[in-house]
Every structure is written in structure tokens, then in C-alpha cells.
Coordinates of all heavy atoms in Angstrom, one line a residue:
M1 N 113.8 96.8 119.1 CA 112.5 97.5 119.1 C 111.8 97.4 120.4 O 111.1 98.3 120.8 CB 111.6 96.9 118.0 CG 112.0 97.2 116.6 SD 112.1 98.9 116.2 CE 110.3 99.3 116.2
S2 N 111.9 96.3 121.1 CA 111.2 96.2 122.4 C 111.7 97.2 123.4 O 111.0 97.7 124.2 CB 111.3 94.8 123.0 OG 112.7 94.5 123.3
L3 N 113.0 97.6 123.3 CA 113.5 98.6 124.3 C 112.9 100.0 124.0 O 112.7 100.8 124.9 CB 115.0 98.7 124.1 CG 115.8 97.5 124.6 CD1 117.3 97.7 124.3 CD2 115.6 97.2 126.0
K4 N 112.6 100.3 122.7 CA 112.0 101.6 122.4 C 110.6 101.8 122.9 O 110.1 102.9 123.0 CB 112.1 101.8 120.9 CG 112.0 103.2 120.5 CD 112.5 103.4 119.1 CE 112.5 104.9 118.7 NZ 111.4 105.6 118.9
L5 N 109.9 100.7 123.3 CA 108.6 100.8 123.8 C 108.5 101.7 125.0 O 107.6 102.5 125.3 CB 108.0 99.4 124.2 CG 107.7 98.5 123.0 CD1 107.4 97.1 123.5 CD2 106.6 99.1 122.1
A6 N 109.6 101.7 125.9 CA 109.6 102.5 127.1 C 109.7 104.0 126.8 O 109.4 104.8 127.6 CB 110.8 102.1 128.0
V7 N 110.1 104.4 125.6 CA 110.2 105.8 125.2 C 108.9 106.5 125.3 O 108.8 107.7 125.7 CB 110.8 106.0 123.8 CG1 110.8 107.4 123.3 CG2 112.3 105.4 123.8
G8 N 107.8 105.8 125.1 CA 106.5 106.3 125.3 C 106.1 106.8 126.7 O 105.2 107.6 126.8
M9 N 106.9 106.4 127.6 CA 106.7 106.9 129.0 C 107.3 108.2 129.3 O 107.1 108.8 130.3 CB 107.2 105.8 130.0 CG 106.4 104.5 129.9 SD 106.9 103.3 131.2 CE 108.6 103.0 130.7
V10 N 108.2 108.6 128.4 CA 108.9 109.9 128.6 C 108.1 111.1 128.2 O 107.5 111.0 127.1 CB 110.3 109.9 127.8 CG1 111.0 111.2 127.9 CG2 111.2 108.8 128.2
P11 N 107.9 112.1 129.1 CA 107.1 113.2 128.6 C 107.8 114.0 127.5 O 109.0 114.1 127.5 CB 107.0 114.1 129.9 CG 108.2 113.7 130.7 CD 108.5 112.3 130.4
T12 N 107.0 114.5 126.6 CA 107.5 115.3 125.5 C 108.2 116.5 126.1 O 109.4 116.7 125.8 CB 106.5 115.7 124.5 OG1 105.8 114.5 124.0 CG2 107.0 116.4 123.3
T13 N 107.5 117.3 126.8 CA 108.1 118.5 127.5 C 107.5 118.5 128.9 O 106.4 118.1 129.2 CB 107.7 119.8 126.8 OG1 106.3 119.9 126.7 CG2 108.3 119.9 125.4
R14 N 108.3 119.0 129.8 CA 107.9 119.2 131.2 C 108.7 120.3 131.8 O 109.9 120.3 131.7 CB 108.1 117.9 132.0 CG 107.5 118.0 133.3 CD 107.4 116.7 134.0 NE 106.8 116.8 135.3 CZ 106.7 115.9 136.2 NH1 107.3 114.7 136.0 NH2 106.1 116.1 137.3
H15 N 108.0 121.3 132.4 CA 108.7 122.4 133.1 C 109.6 123.1 132.1 O 110.7 123.5 132.5 CB 109.4 122.0 134.3 CG 108.6 121.3 135.3 ND1 107.6 121.9 136.0 CD2 108.6 120.0 135.7 CE1 107.0 121.0 136.8 NE2 107.6 119.8 136.7
G16 N 109.2 123.2 130.9 CA 110.0 124.0 129.9 C 111.1 123.2 129.2 O 111.8 123.8 128.4
F17 N 111.3 122.0 129.6 CA 112.4 121.2 129.0 C 111.9 120.2 128.1 O 110.9 119.4 128.4 CB 113.2 120.5 130.1 CG 114.5 119.8 129.6 CD1 115.6 120.5 129.4 CD2 114.5 118.4 129.4 CE1 116.8 119.9 128.9 CE2 115.6 117.8 129.0 CZ 116.8 118.6 128.7
N18 N 112.4 120.1 126.9 CA 112.0 119.1 125.9 C 112.8 117.8 125.9 O 113.9 117.7 125.4 CB 112.1 119.7 124.5 CG 111.4 118.9 123.4 OD1 111.4 117.7 123.4 ND2 110.7 119.6 122.5
Y19 N 112.2 116.9 126.7 CA 112.9 115.6 126.9 C 113.1 114.8 125.6 O 114.1 114.1 125.4 CB 112.1 114.8 127.9 CG 112.2 115.3 129.3 CD1 111.3 116.2 129.8 CD2 113.3 115.0 130.1 CE1 111.4 116.7 131.1 CE2 113.4 115.5 131.4 CZ 112.5 116.4 131.9 OH 112.6 116.9 133.1
M20 N 112.0 114.8 124.8 CA 112.1 114.0 123.5 C 113.2 114.5 122.6 O 114.0 113.8 122.0 CB 110.8 114.0 122.8 CG 109.8 113.0 123.4 SD 110.3 111.3 123.2 CE 109.0 110.5 124.1
R21 N 113.3 115.8 122.5 CA 114.3 116.4 121.6 C 115.7 116.1 122.1 O 116.6 115.7 121.4 CB 114.1 117.9 121.5 CG 115.1 118.5 120.6 CD 114.9 120.0 120.3 NE 114.1 120.6 121.4 CZ 113.5 121.7 121.2 NH1 113.5 122.4 120.1 NH2 112.8 122.2 122.3
E22 N 115.8 116.1 123.5 CA 117.1 115.8 124.1 C 117.5 114.3 123.8 O 118.6 114.1 123.4 CB 117.0 116.0 125.6 CG 118.3 115.7 126.3 CD 119.5 116.7 126.0 OE1 119.2 117.8 125.6 OE2 120.6 116.3 126.3
M23 N 116.5 113.4 124.0 CA 116.8 112.0 123.8 C 117.1 111.7 122.3 O 118.1 111.0 122.0 CB 115.7 111.1 124.3 CG 116.0 109.7 124.2 SD 114.9 108.5 125.0 CE 113.4 109.4 125.2
H24 N 116.3 112.2 121.4 CA 116.4 111.9 120.0 C 117.6 112.6 119.4 O 118.1 112.1 118.4 CB 115.1 112.1 119.2 CG 114.1 111.1 119.5 ND1 113.1 111.3 120.4 CD2 113.9 109.8 119.1 CE1 112.3 110.2 120.5 NE2 112.8 109.3 119.7
G25 N 118.0 113.7 119.9 CA 119.1 114.5 119.3 C 120.4 114.2 120.0 O 121.5 114.7 119.5
S26 N 120.5 113.4 121.0 CA 121.7 113.1 121.7 C 122.5 112.0 121.0 O 121.9 111.0 120.6 CB 121.4 112.7 123.1 OG 122.5 112.2 123.8
A27 N 123.8 112.1 121.1 CA 124.7 111.0 120.6 C 124.5 109.8 121.5 O 124.9 108.7 121.2 CB 126.1 111.5 120.6
D28 N 124.0 110.0 122.8 CA 123.8 108.9 123.7 C 122.4 108.4 123.8 O 122.0 107.8 124.7 CB 124.2 109.4 125.1 CG 125.7 109.7 125.2 OD1 126.5 108.9 124.7 OD2 126.1 110.7 125.9
G29 N 121.6 108.7 122.7 CA 120.2 108.3 122.7 C 120.0 106.8 122.9 O 119.1 106.5 123.7
R30 N 120.8 106.0 122.4 CA 120.7 104.5 122.6 C 120.9 104.2 124.0 O 120.2 103.3 124.6 CB 121.6 103.8 121.6 CG 121.2 103.9 120.2 CD 122.1 103.1 119.3 NE 121.6 103.3 117.9 CZ 122.2 102.7 116.9 NH1 123.2 101.8 117.1 NH2 121.7 102.8 115.7
K31 N 121.9 104.8 124.6 CA 122.2 104.5 126.1 C 121.0 105.0 126.9 O 120.7 104.3 127.9 CB 123.5 105.2 126.5 CG 124.7 104.6 125.9 CD 125.9 105.4 126.4 CE 127.2 104.9 125.7 NZ 128.4 105.7 126.0
M32 N 120.4 106.1 126.6 CA 119.3 106.7 127.3 C 118.1 105.7 127.3 O 117.5 105.5 128.3 CB 118.9 108.0 126.8 CG 119.9 109.1 127.0 SD 119.5 110.6 126.1 CE 120.0 111.9 127.2
I33 N 117.9 105.2 126.1 CA 116.8 104.2 126.0 C 117.0 102.9 126.8 O 116.1 102.4 127.4 CB 116.5 103.9 124.5 CG1 116.0 105.1 123.8 CG2 115.6 102.7 124.3 CD1 115.9 105.0 122.3
A34 N 118.3 102.5 126.8 CA 118.6 101.3 127.6 C 118.4 101.6 129.1 O 117.9 100.8 129.8 CB 120.1 100.9 127.3
E35 N 118.8 102.8 129.5 CA 118.6 103.2 130.9 C 117.1 103.2 131.3 O 116.8 102.8 132.4 CB 119.3 104.5 131.2 CG 120.8 104.5 131.2 CD 121.4 105.8 131.3 OE1 120.7 106.9 131.4 OE2 122.6 105.9 131.4
L36 N 116.3 103.6 130.4 CA 114.8 103.7 130.7 C 114.3 102.3 131.0 O 113.4 102.1 131.7 CB 114.1 104.2 129.5 CG 114.1 105.7 129.2 CD1 113.4 105.9 127.9 CD2 113.3 106.4 130.3
N37 N 114.9 101.3 130.4 CA 114.4 99.9 130.5 C 115.0 99.1 131.7 O 114.6 98.0 132.0 CB 114.7 99.1 129.2 CG 113.7 99.5 128.1 OD1 112.7 99.0 128.0 ND2 114.1 100.5 127.3
Q38 N 116.0 99.7 132.4 CA 116.6 98.9 133.5 C 115.7 98.4 134.5 O 115.8 97.3 135.0 CB 117.8 99.7 134.0 CG 119.0 99.7 133.2 CD 120.2 100.5 133.8 OE1 120.0 101.5 134.5 NE2 121.4 100.0 133.5
P39 N 114.7 99.2 134.9 CA 113.8 98.8 136.0 C 112.8 97.7 135.6 O 112.2 97.1 136.5 CB 113.0 100.0 136.5 CG 113.6 101.2 135.7 CD 114.4 100.6 134.6
F40 N 112.7 97.4 134.3 CA 111.6 96.5 133.9 C 112.1 95.2 133.5 O 113.2 95.0 132.9 CB 110.9 97.1 132.6 CG 110.4 98.5 132.9 CD1 111.1 99.6 132.4 CD2 109.2 98.7 133.6 CE1 110.6 100.9 132.6 CE2 108.8 100.0 133.8 CZ 109.4 101.1 133.4
K41 N 111.4 94.2 133.9 CA 111.7 92.8 133.6 C 110.4 92.1 133.0 O 109.7 91.4 133.7 CB 112.2 92.0 134.8 CG 113.4 92.6 135.5 CD 114.6 92.5 134.6 CE 115.8 93.0 135.4 NZ 116.5 94.0 134.7
P42 N 110.0 92.5 131.8 CA 108.7 92.0 131.3 C 108.7 90.5 131.1 O 109.7 89.8 130.8 CB 108.6 92.7 129.9 CG 110.0 93.0 129.5 CD 110.8 93.2 130.8
A43 N 107.5 89.9 131.4 CA 107.3 88.5 131.2 C 107.0 88.1 129.7 O 107.3 87.0 129.3 CB 106.2 88.0 132.1
L44 N 106.5 89.1 129.0 CA 106.1 88.9 127.6 C 106.2 90.2 126.9 O 105.7 91.3 127.4 CB 104.7 88.3 127.5 CG 104.2 88.1 126.1 CD1 105.0 87.0 125.4 CD2 102.7 87.8 126.1
I45 N 106.8 90.2 125.7 CA 106.9 91.4 124.9 C 106.1 91.1 123.6 O 106.4 90.1 122.9 CB 108.3 91.8 124.6 CG1 109.1 92.1 125.9 CG2 108.4 93.0 123.6 CD1 110.6 92.2 125.7
V46 N 105.2 92.0 123.3 CA 104.4 91.9 122.0 C 104.6 93.2 121.2 O 104.4 94.3 121.7 CB 102.9 91.7 122.3 CG1 102.1 91.6 121.0 CG2 102.7 90.4 123.2
L47 N 105.1 93.0 120.0 CA 105.3 94.1 119.1 C 104.3 93.9 117.9 O 104.2 92.8 117.4 CB 106.7 94.1 118.6 CG 107.8 94.3 119.6 CD1 109.2 94.1 118.9 CD2 107.8 95.6 120.2
D48 N 103.7 95.0 117.5 CA 102.9 94.8 116.3 C 103.5 95.6 115.2 O 104.0 96.7 115.3 CB 101.4 95.3 116.6 CG 101.3 96.8 116.5 OD1 101.5 97.4 117.6 OD2 100.9 97.3 115.5
G49 N 103.4 95.1 114.0 CA 103.8 95.7 112.8 C 102.7 95.7 111.8 O 102.9 95.4 110.6
V50 N 101.5 95.9 112.2 CA 100.3 95.9 111.4 C 100.5 97.0 110.3 O 100.3 96.8 109.1 CB 99.0 96.1 112.2 CG1 97.8 96.2 111.2 CG2 98.8 94.9 113.1
D51 N 100.8 98.2 110.8 CA 101.1 99.3 109.9 C 102.5 99.8 110.3 O 102.8 99.8 111.5 CB 100.1 100.5 110.1 CG 98.8 100.1 109.6 OD1 98.7 99.5 108.5 OD2 97.8 100.4 110.3
A52 N 103.4 100.2 109.4 CA 104.7 100.6 109.7 C 105.2 101.7 108.7 O 104.8 101.7 107.5 CB 105.7 99.4 109.6
F53 N 106.0 102.6 109.2 CA 106.6 103.6 108.4 C 107.8 102.9 107.7 O 108.6 102.3 108.3 CB 107.1 104.8 109.1 CG 106.0 105.7 109.6 CD1 105.7 105.8 110.9 CD2 105.2 106.4 108.7 CE1 104.7 106.7 111.4 CE2 104.2 107.2 109.1 CZ 103.9 107.4 110.4
V54 N 107.9 103.0 106.4 CA 109.0 102.5 105.6 C 110.0 103.5 105.3 O 111.1 103.2 104.9 CB 108.6 101.7 104.3 CG1 107.8 100.5 104.7 CG2 107.7 102.6 103.4
D55 N 109.6 104.8 105.5 CA 110.6 105.9 105.5 C 109.9 107.0 106.3 O 108.8 107.0 106.6 CB 111.0 106.3 104.1 CG 109.9 107.0 103.3 OD1 108.8 107.4 103.9 OD2 110.0 107.1 102.1
G56 N 110.8 108.0 106.7 CA 110.2 109.1 107.5 C 110.0 108.5 109.0 O 110.8 107.8 109.5
G57 N 108.9 108.9 109.5 CA 108.5 108.5 110.9 C 109.3 109.3 111.9 O 110.2 110.1 111.6
P58 N 109.0 109.3 113.2 CA 107.9 108.5 113.7 C 106.5 109.1 113.6 O 105.5 108.4 113.7 CB 108.2 108.3 115.2 CG 109.0 109.6 115.5 CD 109.7 110.0 114.2
G59 N 106.4 110.4 113.2 CA 105.1 111.0 113.1 C 104.5 111.0 111.8 O 103.2 111.1 111.6
K60 N 105.3 111.0 110.7 CA 104.8 111.0 109.4 C 105.8 110.4 108.4 O 107.0 110.3 108.8 CB 104.4 112.4 108.9 CG 105.6 113.4 108.9 CD 105.2 114.8 108.4 CE 106.3 115.7 108.4 NZ 106.0 117.0 108.0
G61 N 105.3 109.9 107.3 CA 106.2 109.2 106.4 C 105.4 108.3 105.5 O 104.2 108.4 105.4
T62 N 106.0 107.4 104.8 CA 105.3 106.5 103.9 C 104.9 105.3 104.7 O 105.7 104.6 105.3 CB 106.2 106.0 102.8 OG1 106.7 107.2 102.1 CG2 105.5 105.1 101.8
L63 N 103.6 105.1 104.8 CA 103.0 104.0 105.6 C 102.8 102.8 104.7 O 102.3 102.9 103.6 CB 101.7 104.5 106.2 CG 101.1 103.7 107.3 CD1 102.0 103.7 108.5 CD2 99.8 104.3 107.8
A64 N 103.1 101.6 105.2 CA 102.9 100.4 104.5 C 102.3 99.3 105.5 O 102.4 99.4 106.7 CB 104.2 99.8 103.9
K65 N 101.6 98.3 104.9 CA 101.1 97.2 105.7 C 102.2 96.3 106.0 O 102.8 95.7 105.1 CB 99.9 96.5 104.9 CG 98.7 97.4 104.7 CD 98.0 97.5 106.0 CE 96.7 98.3 105.9 NZ 96.1 98.6 107.2
G66 N 102.4 96.0 107.3 CA 103.4 95.0 107.7 C 102.7 93.7 107.9 O 103.3 92.6 107.7
N67 N 101.5 93.7 108.5 CA 100.7 92.5 108.8 C 101.5 91.5 109.6 O 101.6 90.3 109.3 CB 100.2 91.8 107.5 CG 99.3 92.7 106.7 OD1 98.5 93.5 107.3 ND2 99.3 92.7 105.4
A68 N 102.2 92.0 110.7 CA 103.0 91.2 111.5 C 102.8 91.4 113.0 O 102.5 92.6 113.4 CB 104.5 91.4 111.1
F69 N 102.9 90.4 113.8 CA 103.0 90.5 115.2 C 104.2 89.6 115.6 O 104.4 88.5 115.1 CB 101.7 89.9 115.9 CG 100.6 90.9 115.9 CD1 99.6 90.9 114.9 CD2 100.4 91.7 117.0 CE1 98.6 91.8 115.0 CE2 99.4 92.6 117.1 CZ 98.5 92.6 116.1
L70 N 104.9 90.1 116.6 CA 106.0 89.4 117.2 C 105.8 89.3 118.7 O 105.4 90.2 119.3 CB 107.4 90.1 116.9 CG 107.8 90.3 115.5 CD1 109.0 91.1 115.4 CD2 108.0 89.0 114.8
A71 N 106.0 88.1 119.2 CA 105.9 87.9 120.7 C 107.1 87.1 121.2 O 107.6 86.2 120.5 CB 104.6 87.2 121.0
S72 N 107.6 87.5 122.3 CA 108.8 86.8 122.9 C 108.8 87.0 124.4 O 108.4 88.0 124.9 CB 110.1 87.4 122.3 OG 111.2 86.8 122.9
R73 N 109.2 86.0 125.1 CA 109.5 86.1 126.5 C 110.9 86.5 126.8 O 111.3 86.6 127.9 CB 109.1 84.7 127.2 CG 107.7 84.4 127.1 CD 107.3 83.2 127.9 NE 108.2 82.1 127.5 CZ 108.0 80.8 128.0 NH1 107.1 80.6 128.8 NH2 108.8 79.9 127.5
I74 N 111.7 86.6 125.7 CA 113.1 87.0 125.9 C 113.3 88.3 125.2 O 113.2 88.5 124.0 CB 114.0 85.9 125.2 CG1 113.7 84.5 125.7 CG2 115.5 86.3 125.3 CD1 114.3 83.4 124.8
A75 N 113.7 89.3 126.0 CA 113.8 90.7 125.6 C 114.8 90.8 124.5 O 114.6 91.5 123.5 CB 114.1 91.6 126.7
W76 N 116.0 90.2 124.6 CA 117.0 90.4 123.6 C 116.6 89.8 122.2 O 117.0 90.2 121.2 CB 118.3 89.8 124.0 CG 118.3 88.3 124.2 CD1 118.2 87.7 125.4 CD2 118.5 87.3 123.2 NE1 118.2 86.3 125.2 CE2 118.4 86.0 123.9 CE3 118.7 87.3 121.9 CZ2 118.5 84.8 123.2 CZ3 118.8 86.1 121.2 CH2 118.7 84.9 121.9
L77 N 115.7 88.7 122.2 CA 115.2 88.2 121.0 C 114.3 89.1 120.2 O 114.5 89.3 119.0 CB 114.4 86.9 121.3 CG 113.9 86.1 120.1 CD1 115.1 85.6 119.2 CD2 113.1 84.9 120.5
S78 N 113.5 89.9 121.0 CA 112.7 90.9 120.4 C 113.5 92.0 119.7 O 113.1 92.5 118.7 CB 111.7 91.5 121.4 OG 110.9 90.5 122.0
T79 N 114.6 92.3 120.3 CA 115.4 93.4 119.7 C 116.1 93.0 118.4 O 116.5 93.9 117.7 CB 116.5 93.9 120.7 OG1 117.4 92.8 121.0 CG2 115.8 94.4 122.0
Q80 N 116.2 91.7 118.1 CA 116.8 91.3 116.9 C 116.0 91.7 115.7 O 116.6 91.8 114.6 CB 117.0 89.8 116.9 CG 117.9 89.3 118.0 CD 119.3 89.9 118.1 OE1 120.0 89.9 117.1 NE2 119.6 90.5 119.2
W81 N 114.8 92.0 115.8 CA 113.9 92.4 114.7 C 113.9 93.9 114.5 O 113.4 94.3 113.5 CB 112.5 91.8 114.9 CG 112.4 90.4 114.9 CD1 112.6 89.5 116.0 CD2 112.2 89.5 113.8 NE1 112.5 88.2 115.6 CE2 112.3 88.2 114.2 CE3 112.0 89.8 112.4 CZ2 112.1 87.1 113.4 CZ3 111.8 88.7 111.6 CH2 111.9 87.4 112.1
G82 N 114.5 94.6 115.4 CA 114.4 96.1 115.3 C 115.5 96.8 114.7 O 116.5 96.3 114.3

């Protein structure tokens, strides 16, 4: 999950090209997300699960209360929850 945080930096569309559709529709989507994170070495990763989609998403679906926060100084540890 911590790796997916960088996806928010990708423009939805730019100069007529839909970057989000390309990334989410690609068989290499996971590799693309990993590449987005290569320049970053965060000192702390904080993920919130106060509200979470339990189906559907990311824009709509069934919303549930997660009432959770996760914090880690180790990026791979944060990904174990995602």
C-alpha cells in the first residue's frame, strides 16, 4: 500500500494522453508503480484506514469504517498490509 501512495503524483491526463488508464489497465501496472517509487526514500510512512472501500473503489464502492492507522520507518513492512 505504501508504494501506491506515489500514484497520486501521476496526472490523470496530460496533452491528450490518459496516464491513469494506461497504468491501471496495463499488465505491467505493478512494475510501473514500483518505478514511480524508485527516487523516494521516505523516513516515515503513514497510512490511514479510517474509511476504506471493502469492494469497488477507488472512486466508489461500499465504504466501511476501518478505524486504523499504520506507521512504519520500513517501506517493505508497510506493504505487507496492502
Side-chain angles (χ1 to χ4, degrees):
M1 291 299 293
S2 66
L3 294 177
K4 199 161 186 309
L5 292 171
V7 172
M9 295 185 295
V10 175
T12 303
T13 58
R14 186 168 184 192
H15 304 294
F17 187 79
N18 191 321
Y19 289 93
M20 283 294 176
R21 182 175 22 200
E22 179 70 20
M23 183 170 20
H24 286 101
S26 172
D28 294 321
R30 292 180 180 185
K31 290 179 185 176
M32 294 169 142
I33 291 171
E35 288 174 358
L36 283 171
N37 284 272
Q38 283 183 328
F40 304 103
K41 304 291 184 235
L44 179 67
I45 298 167
V46 178
L47 301 172
D48 79 277
V50 175
D51 293 316
F53 286 114
V54 293
D55 67 17
K60 61 182 179 179
T62 304
L63 197 60
K65 291 288 182 191
N67 298 323
F69 276 92
L70 300 173
S72 176
R73 293 186 306 184
I74 306 169
W76 64 265
L77 182 61
S78 300
T79 63
Q80 299 304 306
W81 293 89

